[in-house]
Amino acid sequence: MTLTISRLALAALALSASILSVEPALAAVACGSGNFDAWLADFKAEAAAKGISQQAITAGLAGVTLDQSVLNRDKSQKVFTQTFEEFSGRMVPPRMTRGSNMMKQYGSVLSRIEQAYGVPGEILVAIWGLETDFGVNTGKFSTIRSLATLAYDCRRAEQFRGELMDALRIVQRGDLTPAEMKGAWAGELGQTQFMPSSWLKYAVDFDGNGKRDLLHNAPDVLASTANYLAGYGWQKGKDWQPGSPNFAVLQQWNKSEVYCKTVAYFATQLAHAP
């Protein structure tokens, strides 16, 4: 993603609101036990017991190994300390022209999305730009390998165990192949960086081509992001500035107030752009 740190760090070491509830871990092999292969075999058995097909399990987890670089990144995160002025000043001006062009290019799509979900295009384009530079930098880490690594590590094992299960469900549903599942180091996928649990719950096939594609398909990306915000109570036609109910919804996207204020500021700038 375009940010110099992951969205996890930006939310002060808490996962973004994309992470939903996960099921309790049932692992017989302890996390961080020093035997990743044994842990993975146990996970495969649990996935099968939960109804994930053997085909999806084999396709997703065959040959998966621990990624030490992911653990290093996770352990080296620092609390986000930039002020709103610093962060917005760095992130918004370089993206204003492209953001304004995206508003024009996808104007009819954004209008239909707002009619369907109540979320204005300015908010969606602002998030799109801040997350991945409008889809340019979605990340190159193997999602399944990253999630397996973080699920094996003891720091947030249950959280990421649930996300890994959901990644396999995405494979089983046919949205993506394991090879296509590349994103940020902590498992975020697509042009607005959905965790797998959020992909399963909120991804939509907005252009009607039969596939929910948040990696390559801008209408699906924007509509799915709107569906996420609507799912957390976005109020159509209402303000999005700090203190408003819609700003509280943005904080369900990312718990960092600085990040959410930057989204709101960027969106307001886009609304006033010629």
Side-chain angles (χ1 to χ4, degrees):
M1 51 198 302
T2 58
L3 306 187
T4 55
I5 52 178
S6 89
R7 184 138 56 101
L8 292 163
L10 195 59
L13 304 182
L15 277 176
S16 67
S18 308
I19 291 187
L20 305 174
S21 59
V22 297
E23 297 168 299
L26 302 174
V29 178
C31 64
S33 63
N35 191 335
F36 179 79
D37 289 341
W39 176 90
L40 189 63
D42 185 77
F43 180 87
K44 291 176 181 178
E46 183 188 348
K50 291 187 173 181
I52 297 174
S53 71
Q54 196 57 53
Q55 183 179 3
I57 293 168
T58 300
L61 296 174
V64 168
T65 57
L66 190 77
D67 189 340
Q68 187 61 47
S69 71
V70 167
L71 293 179
N72 293 343
R73 285 172 181 259
D74 190 42
K75 289 175 170 59
S76 67
Q77 289 189 95
K78 296 179 175 61
V79 175
F80 185 73
T81 58
Q82 289 184 53
T83 65
F84 163 69
E85 289 76 16
E86 290 168 338
F87 185 68
S88 62
R90 179 167 65 87
M91 298 298 290
V92 174
R95 293 166 175 79
M96 268 304 303
T97 298
R98 185 112 195 269
S100 184
N101 290 338
M102 290 298 186
M103 290 292 299
K104 297 181 179 73
Q105 181 178 344
Y106 292 100
S108 62
V109 170
L110 291 168
S111 178
R112 288 190 290 114
I113 290 172
E114 184 169 5
Q115 288 177 353
Y117 301 103
V119 182
E122 292 87 350
I123 288 288
L124 303 175
V125 170
I127 290 172
W128 193 19
L130 292 177
E131 289 291 346
T132 65
D133 264 343
F134 312 102
V136 173
N137 299 304
T138 56
K140 297 181 180 179
F141 284 83
S142 165
T143 299
I144 288 178
R145 188 184 185 198
S146 291
L147 292 172
T149 296
L150 292 166
Y152 173 71
D153 187 53
C154 291
R155 196 158 83 86
R156 288 169 292 175
E158 290 188 16
Q159 220 168 36
F160 282 103
R161 195 176 182 91
E163 293 295 338
L164 182 56
M165 288 286 182
D166 283 341
L168 294 180
R169 292 182 179 111
I170 290 171
V171 173
Q172 179 170 276
R173 195 166 73 174
D175 289 4
L176 295 173
T177 66
E180 290 174 318
M181 297 177 79
K182 293 188 182 299
W185 66 264
E188 302 100 329
L189 270 169
Q191 295 190 25
T192 53
Q193 302 284 270
F194 273 37
M195 292 301 288
S197 57
S198 292
W199 183 303
L200 281 179
K201 188 167 185 178
Y202 296 110
V204 295
D205 171 22
F206 195 71
D207 66 353
N209 70 351
K211 187 175 181 180
R212 307 167 190 85
D213 184 359
L214 309 192
L215 288 175
H216 313 104
N217 187 309
D220 287 3
V221 168
L222 296 166
S224 299
T225 306
N227 190 32
Y228 181 104
L229 295 173
Y232 279 94
W234 187 275
Q235 296 182 18
K236 184 175 183 178
K238 297 296 180 65
D239 189 20
W240 56 67
Q241 296 305 321
S244 68
N246 283 339
F247 187 81
V249 173
L250 289 176
Q251 291 181 298
Q252 296 300 316
W253 176 268
N254 189 306
K255 290 181 172 60
S256 166
E257 184 171 356
V258 167
Y259 183 94
C260 294
K261 286 176 71 174
T262 301
V263 170
Y265 170 70
F266 192 1
T268 299
Q269 295 295 106
L270 288 171
H272 296 151

